[in-house]
Amino acid sequence: MADARPTGAPTVLRVVLGKRLQDLREKAGLSYEDAGRALDVTHATIRRMEKAEVGLKLPYVEKLLCVYGVAGQEEIEGFLSLAREANRPGWWHRFRDVLPEWFSAFVSLEGEANLIRAYEPHYVPGLLQTEDYARAVLRAGMPHAPAADIDRAVTVRRQRQSLLTRDGAPLLWVVLDETVLRRPIGGPDIMRAQIAHLMDATDLPNVRLQVMPFAAGPHPAMYGPFHIFRFPLPELPDIAYAENLVGASYFDQRDDVSAFLEALDRMCAQAAPAHTTKAVLGGIRKEI
């Protein structure tokens, strides 16, 4: 039987279309097996299409829409047009030699979110790093990588940063542990420039930074860093992301994401208020 082949990390649009296909199938009262028989594929293929684990083959999509009762040709053509767009690799695809597959999904989510919240206890988040600071962080994490690979990874980071100043930029709300600002990365000059960059970032209307001082004591997220993404698309729930040394976990179940949100809300209340962040940063910068 024909099957769809796995592709790289899905774009957000492919996730959305997969969820729309699932909704249409369920409204039609059809099972995975029913849909699979209509295409002469396995039920697993249908499930993987809906979970965005494979690309969307246009003939499959068109036939499924008909099976699910979508009769209007204009609606079908509109869906197929979106499917073509969803199957196009994201801009980051050309950097797949230096971008782990598990992080490609992060870049896609980041680019489509209208709200990005994060807690970072180790280093400045990539969206707010200077080039020199980014290079030092990447070199520490990729000690054996050729210089050319580090250069390409820095390019990815710089391209990601452009979303903060684009039209319709997301709100970025980050809680930084004081450790981030005290850890010497790349030397004093690089750290001073990085902190000055953070001070400038606080002037952006869509960037909100808070510092969790040592004096605040223990807090709910002492286990590690994480991100939470929120989207303007109704098909996408909030998604939480937690990274480790060799990969990452993505959470979209309501109870899981709620745990991250509750922890972050409590931390925002515990951290220094956002309107004091520039003064806090300036004080630390003078000490370097």
Side-chain angles (χ1 to χ4, degrees), residues 89-113:
W91 63 263
W92 57 89
H93 184 72
R94 67 182 187 274
F95 296 100
R96 60 189 181 278
D97 56 324
V98 295
L99 198 64
E101 185 68 23
W102 50 264
F103 193 69
S104 296
F106 178 98
V107 177
S108 179
L109 295 172
E110 183 180 71
E112 297 295 334

Side-chain angles (χ1 to χ4, degrees), residues 2-270:
D3 201 350
R5 294 185 178 180
T7 61
T11 61
V12 167
L13 182 55
R14 204 167 87 205
V15 175
V16 169
L17 293 182
K19 288 184 178 294
R20 290 183 184 176
L21 286 173
Q22 179 182 353
D23 289 342
L24 289 169
R25 176 180 58 77
E26 291 174 349
K27 287 178 181 177
L30 299 176
S31 65
Y32 289 131
E33 290 77 9
D34 295 330
R37 281 192 293 271
L39 294 184
D40 193 26
V41 298
T42 66
H43 64 87
T45 296
I46 303 300
R47 182 191 63 78
R48 293 168 69 195
M49 288 175 66
E50 293 179 359
K51 297 294 185 183
E53 295 173 357
V54 295
L56 295 172
K57 290 188 175 181
L58 298 187
Y60 283 8
V61 172
E62 185 171 12
K63 189 166 185 179
L64 283 178
L65 292 175
C66 294
V67 170
Y68 296 161
V70 179
Q73 191 59 36
E74 185 175 345
E75 186 176 356
I76 291 174
E77 287 299 329
F79 200 107
L80 292 176
S81 176
L82 291 175
R84 292 187 189 94
E85 183 179 346
N87 283 335
R88 294 192 188 101
W91 63 263
W92 57 89
H93 184 72
R94 67 182 187 274
F95 296 100
R96 60 189 181 278
D97 56 324
V98 295
L99 198 64
E101 185 68 23
W102 50 264
F103 193 69
S104 296
F106 178 98
V107 177
S108 179
L109 295 172
E110 183 180 71
E112 297 295 334
N114 61 356
L115 171 63
I116 304 170
R117 298 183 64 183
Y119 165 62
E120 182 51 67
H122 301 310
Y123 51 80
V124 173
L127 290 179
L128 297 172
Q129 292 177 3
T130 65
E131 182 172 339
D132 288 339
Y133 183 95
R135 193 175 300 278
V137 168
L138 288 163
R139 174 53 68 192
M142 305 163 59
H144 306 297
D149 286 358
I150 299 295
D151 289 342
R152 284 177 60 74
V154 170
T155 299
V156 173
R157 199 151 296 190
R158 287 173 59 83
Q159 190 153 343
R160 286 172 52 210
Q161 292 172 355
S162 65
L163 73 85
L164 290 180
T165 52
R166 73 182 185 192
D167 291 339
L171 170 63
L172 177 66
W173 186 357
V174 178
V175 176
L176 290 175
D177 197 280
E178 186 177 343
T179 307
V180 172
L181 307 170
R182 300 289 185 182
R183 176 174 285 114
I185 293 180
D189 289 345
I190 289 176
M191 283 303 301
R192 280 192 290 267
Q194 176 61 72
I195 293 176
H197 183 67
L198 291 175
M199 293 171 69
D200 291 340
T202 64
D203 292 330
L204 293 174
N206 59 312
V207 174
R208 184 179 303 170
L209 298 180
Q210 291 183 259
V211 176
M212 179 68 75
F214 294 143
H219 57 74
M222 294 181 67
Y223 49 81
F226 62 89
H227 281 68
I228 301 171
F229 300 100
R230 180 164 292 170
F231 307 92
L233 302 164
E235 293 89 349
L236 282 180
D238 290 351
I239 295 176
Y241 165 92
E243 189 173 314
N244 57 58
L245 188 61
V246 294
S249 298
Y250 294 84
F251 305 88
D252 62 2
Q253 296 301 306
R254 184 183 299 273
D255 289 347
D256 293 335
V257 177
S258 293
F260 284 98
L261 283 168
E262 180 181 354
L264 196 48
D265 285 343
R266 290 171 58 192
M267 291 171 63
C268 288
Q270 191 174 349

